[in-house]
Amino acid sequence: MRSLMKSIIILCGGRSRRMGKDKGSLILNGKPMILHVLDTVKDIVDEIVLVLRDQEQIDKYKPILKDIYPSVKVVTDEKKDQGPLIGILTGLLHINSEFAQILPCDSPFISKSFVLKMFEIAGAKKFDAFVPIWDDGHIEPLHSIYKKDTAIVIMDLIENKKRTVKSLIESLKVKYVDVDELDESTMSFRNLNRVEDL
């Protein structure tokens, strides 16, 4: 079986209201949080799309990304401040592959093995999305893999004033994958949302 082209979409366009500052550019262990994510995935995937809010944010990130910038496709949200669903749509419209994994910029502990396992599972191709799920039924839609074609579904949802990622998941044929199967430590799913989390 031909291996799946691996595309990653990193969402950075949120307003970070709980943190009070742009999360991706915050320093953690000596480097910006976005670089923790990029350094993890850059050698194991074929394509990286970074979704930012606007030109102002692009200008802020250029010095951070200077060493990696040529290998990353930087795009801005189709519509500003509309939440992660728009970010997912924007990313899917810019990938060259059939599937892409979404990653948030505030999950700096994502592991290579987690990303590779997700793409291995997505190789089955019988689903629209591959979504990590916890024992209690809580899902991780911003660590999931989506088919490029789901962009059409998202456009339809937005037109019908549905802007939650949950509404997308409910509209798709989904394969749920146990979090423990993907990352026993579960650190890949740890988000840093508040200053105290740092």
Side-chain angles (χ1 to χ4, degrees):
M1 185 177 72
R2 193 166 60 86
S3 64
L4 200 65
M5 180 181 172
K6 300 177 185 72
S7 295
I8 292 280
I9 297 166
I10 304 175
L11 303 183
C12 267
R15 281 287 177 188
S16 310
R17 288 184 176 89
R18 284 179 289 177
M19 185 69 79
K21 302 173 184 178
D22 180 275
K23 285 194 278 191
S25 60
L26 282 175
I27 303 298
L28 176 71
N29 297 335
K31 67 180 177 182
M33 204 145 35
I34 183 62
L35 288 186
H36 286 274
V37 181
L38 286 167
D39 286 347
T40 298
V41 301
K42 67 183 181 186
D43 297 326
I44 59 170
V45 300
D46 304 296
E47 177 181 50
I48 301 170
V49 177
L50 186 60
V51 182
L52 299 178
R53 188 169 52 254
D54 50 27
Q55 186 59 47
E56 185 184 340
Q57 198 181 23
I58 288 178
D59 293 340
K60 181 174 188 169
Y61 273 64
K62 271 185 180 172
I64 295 169
L65 300 170
K66 64 182 187 298
D67 296 328
I68 199 172
Y69 200 86
S71 60
V72 176
K73 191 185 293 184
V74 179
V75 299
T76 54
D77 278 323
E78 293 288 309
K79 294 180 182 177
K80 280 206 315 186
D81 300 327
Q82 296 291 312
L85 193 60
I86 285 285
I88 294 171
L89 171 63
T90 303
L92 290 174
L93 291 175
H94 287 90
I95 61 167
N96 295 308
S97 58
E98 190 183 349
F99 288 90
Q101 182 170 18
I102 308 298
L103 294 176
C105 68
D106 61 353
S107 290
F109 309 115
I110 286 162
S111 71
K112 282 182 167 63
S113 63
F114 158 65
V115 173
L116 292 171
K117 278 179 188 172
M118 283 293 290
F119 279 106
E120 190 182 325
I121 291 163
K125 295 188 180 182
K126 295 171 186 166
F127 298 87
D128 302 316
F130 301 82
V131 180
I133 188 167
W134 294 81
D135 289 345
D136 62 1
H138 179 77
I139 60 172
E140 296 284 355
L142 300 187
H143 288 73
S144 301
I145 287 181
Y146 297 93
K147 206 171 183 181
K148 183 179 173 71
D149 292 354
T150 59
I152 299 159
V153 179
I154 297 173
M155 288 177 196
D156 189 51
L157 288 168
I158 291 165
E159 203 171 298
N160 288 288
K161 304 287 187 281
K162 294 179 180 176
R163 292 197 170 90
T164 64
V165 183
K166 186 183 176 204
S167 64
L168 172 62
I169 299 289
E170 289 169 351
S171 306
L172 301 176
K173 186 180 177 187
V174 176
K175 177 170 178 59
Y176 293 101
V177 189
D178 288 341
V179 160
D180 290 341
E181 184 186 327
L182 296 165
D183 180 353
E184 276 186 41
S185 74
T186 70
M187 286 297 284
S188 291
F189 305 98
R190 185 168 176 196
N191 292 94
L192 302 182
N193 289 315
R194 299 173 177 83
V195 175
E196 53 267 32
D197 294 340
L198 287 170

